[in-house]
DNA sequence: TGACCTTATGTGTAAAATGTACATATATGG
DNA sequence: CCATATATGTACATTTTACACATAAGGTCA
């Protein structure tokens, strides 16, 4: 009956990567492999690298980042990404979206504190002061 | 070139609804329509109702919520949902996941403050003290 | 030099989740 | 009787992500 996945089974929320990628590229010009490591250090447990590379190419196709091949140095060729002016604009917009997420999460933990311990205030959607089915699950 | 959508175009992050639904049902037993209104008041701009109803049925199939038809009262019949023991366990797990999101967002705004104004510390992925392409986008 | 590992980027495809359009039914107000 | 708000649902297409697999350069060590 219970779902087989351990709750948030490593799957990221939708579109979560995009603002982080833009922000990292606002700060540093890096190639994909280093972006991935940077994201790892910022709390993304295991970034799926095909997802990351595809997202980078999409951002480039949209004009939000540009890339240059860096063939010098050791190891295989690296595609180094830089943010564009349009990308910085997009980052500004995304920051407001992420700020909205932050507010929603704060609201989550407010209600969470109420639900676990404190008495609920009469501020429900319809002020359900008479809960109908609170007892049938004991 | 620029993406047609206004950034976070009303699309929610993946799986964002689930913990909120469980939390609302931890606090109140409600039917879908009222759950939707409650979510609206908590910052979800426009909850797509097919998505919500589908998620509720999935949660029920997984055993995390149960429902009862409420035919008395005015208006069409309402399917009133209540959280189960398994659902409360799942809510506990989700709260840790959401807490992880909260930390990631806090890290986002930390880097955001650095990128817009303050000098970057030498704590990059590989300490990129020599940015390669920071000038070619001016 | 040959096997193997790390770095680095990619393709192909299936699964998951969501969004849009459409459908159904009850009650209320004009 | 018709429009609207409430209330739930189906069908389908789109979007996004996850998993498996492929490719290639360079270094190490026997």
């Amino acid at each position: 009956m219970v779902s087989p996945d351990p709750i948030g089974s490593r799957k990221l929320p939708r579109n979560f990567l995009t603002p982080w990628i833009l922000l990292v590229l606002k700060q540093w010009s890096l190639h994909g492999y280093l972006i991935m490591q940077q994201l790892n250090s910022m709390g993304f447990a295991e970034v799926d690298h095909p997802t990351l590379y595809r997202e980078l190419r999409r951002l480039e196709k949209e004009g939000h980042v540009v890339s240059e091949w860096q063939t010098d140095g050791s190891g295989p060729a690296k595609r180094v990404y830089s943010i564009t002016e349009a990308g910085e604009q997009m980052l500004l917009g995304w920051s407001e979206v992420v700020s909205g997420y932050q507010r929603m999460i704060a609201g989550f933990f407010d209600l969470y504190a109420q639900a676990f311990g404190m008495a609920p205030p009469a501020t429900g959607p319809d002020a359900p002061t008479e809960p109908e089915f609170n007892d049938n699950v004991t």
Side-chain angles (χ1 to χ4, degrees), chain A:
Chain A
M1 276 296 186
V2 182
S3 86
D5 302 328
I7 310 298
S9 63
R10 87 194 155 283
K11 294 180 182 60
L12 286 174
R14 184 207 283 243
N15 285 329
F16 233 48
L17 250 73
T18 310
W20 266 261
I21 292 173
L22 290 173
L23 179 56
V24 166
L25 291 179
K26 164 76 180 173
Q27 183 75 315
W28 307 286
S29 286
L30 300 174
H31 58 272
Y33 199 82
L34 282 181
I35 293 172
M36 200 170 58
Q37 291 185 356
Q38 176 66 19
L39 292 177
N40 284 338
S41 77
M42 291 173 75
F44 290 86
E46 292 176 16
V47 179
D48 186 63
H49 68 266
T51 301
L52 174 64
Y53 287 124
R54 251 193 288 261
E55 180 65 20
L56 284 169
R57 287 199 301 278
R58 176 163 69 178
L59 286 171
E60 180 160 36
K61 201 173 76 178
E62 294 169 346
H64 295 115
V65 303
V66 289
S67 70
E68 282 191 13
W69 282 103
Q70 186 186 20
T71 51
D72 58 320
S74 73
K78 299 151 194 60
R79 179 172 275 192
V80 177
Y81 287 90
S82 300
I83 197 169
T84 64
E85 188 62 37
E88 299 205 12
Q89 290 300 314
M90 197 196 206
L91 175 55
L92 291 177
W94 267 114
S95 73
E96 292 177 26
V97 173
V98 176
S99 183
Y101 297 164
Q102 197 176 37
R103 278 192 299 274
M104 290 163 69
I105 290 173
F108 178 87
F109 285 112
D110 282 349
L111 182 53
Y112 193 85
Q114 287 177 24
F116 288 90
M118 298 171 58
T123 52
D126 206 4
T129 44
E130 297 175 0
E132 293 102 327
F133 291 99
N134 265 335
D135 300 321
N136 61 0
V137 287
T138 48

